[in-house]
Amino acid sequence: MRYQRVVNEKELLESLAEPGATILCGGTDVMIKMRAGMMQPSALIDVSQLDSMQGIRLDESTLIIGAATTESDIHKSPLVREHVPLLSTVLAKLGSVQIRNRGSLGGNLVNASPAADGAIPLLLFDTEIELVSAKGIRWIKLEDFFTGPGRTVLAHGEFVRSLRLAIPNAGYGSFYHKVGRRNALTIAIASLGMLLWIEEHVIREIRMAVGSVAPTARRLRAIENQLTGRLLNDATLDAARQLITDAISPISDVRASASYRKNVIGDLLVRALGASLH
Amino acid sequence: MRIQCVINGQPVERDIDADMRLLDFIRETLHLTGTKEGCGEGECGACTVLMNGKAVHSCLVLAMQAANANIITVEGLSDGHALHPIQQAYVETGAVQCGFCTPGFIMATYALLQDTPDPSEEEILAGLEGNLCRCTGYAKILDAVKLAAERLRASE
């Protein structure tokens, strides 16, 4: 196997043309998959020090995050804390100090775990992803990026340069909770994030994203639409629980059963909405 | 491949395989066996070292990624005569039982106190969240971190 630390994107694109080449950034997923024999790349192309994939900047009403920026740097960023504070909160619960010091959000997304913690807040902030290849640049909504467990629309020879988060209008409440067996380093059994705009007890806007209860982390647009405009009361809470239980398609695995996941995601939703009600 | 880096203040240069992990470079090539391998997949923290001032799992870093980096392992804390105040605090509070996780805990503590010299209990728990200990039940480790923080602040 070959290792190459690339210093510019031209070099990166040339190296990625090699059929068995894989991008290496923090290594928190790639190193584990290689050891487990799940990946046998002919070349590891290290982008962890590529300047064009680093940093966090404000661009009008969006926040742009370099795909290789470490989760620690994003968590601590004053721009992130000011404009999309839920992202900072969620990242504090991703992995551990050691993982966050190496791992990147670009890597978290490309790994495409149905349990990806980073995906939940990014879905809530209507994130778009910048994909770069020899053919040029394309922007794709994060909602359309995942195609299944461990699978994305990323083509061979293509890489993720940055993520663009839309800064939401002020005045919302936010919620995130992950259920797992240990606080740190846990792979979520179920997770739910929410942004909620309430005006005189009426749901003006609601955004919801869930992890570990479907083949990919996903937004729940249909439920968002059904809850918008409703009075936030106990009847709405009951209806919401039923809607989310019907909408998700969890599996039973080593971490939890499908029926447990259905119950727990309903509880999380009621808790999230109830926080604004009570 | 040729790697150059600084380990515990000493420049080193070696030829290694491209697929070698930083953990194996430290233990097998440089014979610094204080750094331990527990799970090998970033769950237990026994292999924690500092890379450019930040705590990382050396089992998840490719050795070549540490090229030109500054690495500190548990061997780099003491001056060779007296234990480092963090090590001394772990000994005095009984925070070491079988000792296998201890180098990782000490390095995580070192990184924590470097950024947060006077941590709250919550901050200590967050700083050590990536490390597992099967013996102590963690109470003595918390005592050790508090004692070490106190002594380090007093010595400044």
Side-chain angles (χ1 to χ4, degrees), chain A residues 201 203 230-240 273-274 277-278:
Chain A
H201 310 292
I203 298 173
R230 286 183 73 145
L231 197 62
L232 186 57
N233 57 24
D234 286 326
T236 300
L237 258 55
D238 288 343
L273 289 170
L277 175 61
H278 302 294

Side-chain angles (χ1 to χ4, degrees), chain A residues 239-256:
Chain A
R241 177 193 287 275
Q242 192 58 48
L243 285 171
I244 198 168
T245 310
D246 293 343
I248 60 168
S249 52
I251 56 164
S252 295
D253 64 13
V254 290
R255 288 188 294 278

Side-chain angles (χ1 to χ4, degrees), chain A residues 95-270:
Chain A
S96 63
V97 177
Q98 292 96 324
I99 294 285
R100 294 191 296 272
N101 280 342
R102 294 291 299 162
S104 65
L105 269 187
N108 193 240
L109 297 180
V110 170
N111 190 51
S113 164
D117 292 325
I120 303 298
L122 294 176
L123 284 166
L124 294 174
F125 294 121
D126 291 334
T127 299
E128 294 182 306
I129 307 190
E130 184 186 18
L131 305 181
V132 181
S133 70
K135 289 180 218 156
I137 295 169
R138 59 175 177 145
W139 286 90
I140 186 155
K141 286 182 184 165
L142 180 57
E143 281 182 84
D144 301 326
F145 182 67
F146 301 122
T147 54
R151 294 200 308 272
T152 70
V153 301
L154 195 71
H156 180 71
E158 198 170 37
F159 70 92
V160 179
R161 182 194 277 155
S162 72
L163 323 173
R164 182 164 66 195
L165 288 68
I167 298 166
N169 294 327
Y172 63 88
S174 66
F175 175 91
Y176 172 80
H177 195 80
K178 167 166 79 165
V179 176
R181 298 186 68 168
R182 172 182 173 194
N183 282 334
L185 286 165
T186 202
I187 297 175
I189 287 169
S191 61
L192 182 136
M194 180 185 287
L195 303 185
L196 183 61
W197 286 258
I198 299 273
E199 246 175 58
E200 305 197 342
H201 310 292
V202 171
I203 298 173
R204 284 298 164 212
E205 187 181 344
I206 181 168
R207 299 182 193 174
M208 299 162 50
V210 289
S212 296
V213 292
T216 69
R218 55 176 287 217
R219 275 284 285 271
L220 297 173
R221 294 269 185 192
I223 303 180
E224 294 174 7
N225 292 337
Q226 290 181 75
L227 292 177
T228 303
R230 286 183 73 145
L231 197 62
L232 186 57
N233 57 24
D234 286 326
T236 300
L237 258 55
D238 288 343
R241 177 193 287 275
Q242 192 58 48
L243 285 171
I244 198 168
T245 310
D246 293 343
I248 60 168
S249 52
I251 56 164
S252 295
D253 64 13
V254 290
R255 288 188 294 278
S257 67
S259 62
Y260 176 75
R261 286 188 157 103
K262 286 206 171 208
N263 273 314
V264 88
I265 206 81
D267 289 345
L268 289 180
L269 177 55
V270 167

